[in-house]
Every structure is written in C-alpha cells, then in structure tokens.
C-alpha cells in the first residue's frame, strides 16, 4: 500500500454555519463547497489548502458517527485521510496483515471518493481514512 499524500483532515464541528466564518474569515480559506453525505449522516464543507484539504463535518443525526463523536469528545480533529491509488488493493493488504478495519469494503464519501476507515485501535488512537479519488 502506498500512501500518496495527506488528502484531508476531518474536523468535527457542531455547526457549519458557526465554523465556516472561522475558516474563511480568521484563516482566510475559501470554502469550495458543501455536500451532504447521507450514508455518513453528515454535511461536509471542504477548504482546499495547497495539495490537501480541511473537511469540516457537521452531524445531521445525533446517532451518526460525528454526532456520537461530538457527544463524547466535543468538537475537534476527527480523522486523517490519506490518498491511495487503489483502495481495493490497500484493503486487501491491510486485511492480510490482520489490521482491524471499520470498513471491510469501500464506501462512497464526499466528492465521489471511495473511502474506508481503519479502526483507531489499530493505529494508536488515530482514526485513519484511506481514500481513492479519480
Ligand atoms: Zn474524511
């Protein structure tokens, strides 16, 4: 498995309406779009930074993954996402190594990417997403 780059940093926020002006105003990063990912029960806004992006995640359902994260830990960094060229091969390699995964199969994320999460218990507490985007 070859990680090509840090694709994005996912940050859990209580409200995009509150957080958007912070990233646009305080940090001067223009938002390049907001999208609802129903499967993940989130609305996401993307802020490109050089070759990577910041992804703000607002929960649309308290029982969704971001809703639960914020209830337990509050707002903050949620995951790091690395770009891979072939997510099927990457998942097969991780499975062969016995790495604990949240997603055995890729699912669809924002921007039409195919994504999968590695369990934070396998990575010392950091939630890692791998992402294939064409
Ligand atoms: Zn992500």
């Amino acid at each position: 498995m070859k990680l090509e780059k840090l694709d994005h940093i996912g940050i859990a926020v209580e409200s995009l309406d509150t957080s958007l002006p912070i990233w646009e105003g305080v940090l001067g990063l223009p938002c390049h779009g907001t999208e609802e990912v129903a499967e993940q029960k989130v609305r996401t806004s993307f802020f490109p930074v050089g070759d990577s992006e910041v992804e703000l995640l607002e929960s649309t359902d308290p029982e969704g993954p971001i809703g639960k994260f914020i209830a337990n830990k509050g707002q903050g960094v949620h995951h790091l996402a690395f770009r891979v060229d072939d997510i099927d091969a990457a998942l097969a390699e991780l499975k062969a190594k016995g790495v604990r995964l949240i997603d055995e199969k890729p699912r669809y994320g924002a921007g039409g990417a195919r994504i999968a999460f590695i369990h934070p218990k396998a990575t010392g507490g950091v939630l890692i997403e791998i992402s294939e985007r064409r």
Side-chain angles (χ1 to χ4, degrees):
M1 176 170 71
K2 183 171 175 291
L3 302 183
E4 296 182 334
K5 66 170 195 169
L6 180 66
D7 189 82
H8 63 269
I9 300 171
I11 299 175
V13 300
E14 278 166 10
S15 157
L16 289 179
D17 286 343
T18 305
S19 292
L20 233 122
I22 295 172
W23 288 84
E24 288 197 322
V26 178
L27 294 166
L29 279 181
C31 176
H32 275 228
T34 296
E35 177 183 343
E36 180 156 350
V37 184
E39 193 187 320
Q40 297 284 323
K41 300 182 167 60
V42 290
R43 286 202 315 138
T44 71
S45 291
F46 279 95
F47 301 78
V49 186
D51 203 24
S52 296
E53 292 182 311
V54 171
E55 174 189 42
L56 299 185
L57 302 142
E58 174 194 81
S59 180
T60 58
D61 181 339
E63 292 304 310
I66 296 299
K68 286 184 185 163
F69 178 88
I70 287 181
N72 288 332
K73 298 187 177 176
Q75 301 188 101
V77 174
H78 179 258
H79 66 272
L80 304 183
F82 292 100
R83 179 83 60 94
V84 294
D85 65 338
D86 183 342
I87 195 169
D88 300 298
L91 282 173
E93 186 181 326
L94 290 166
K95 275 186 237 174
K97 283 195 233 178
V99 174
R100 186 166 166 195
L101 301 171
I102 292 176
D103 300 305
E104 299 275 328
K105 281 189 256 169
R107 49 183 155 140
Y108 285 95
R114 298 172 72 218
I115 65 167
F117 285 96
I118 301 172
H119 200 286
K121 289 229 159 89
T123 56
V126 181
L127 180 59
I128 303 281
E129 173 188 334
I130 54 175
S131 168
E132 175 192 300
R133 224 188 284 205
R134 305 217 176 262

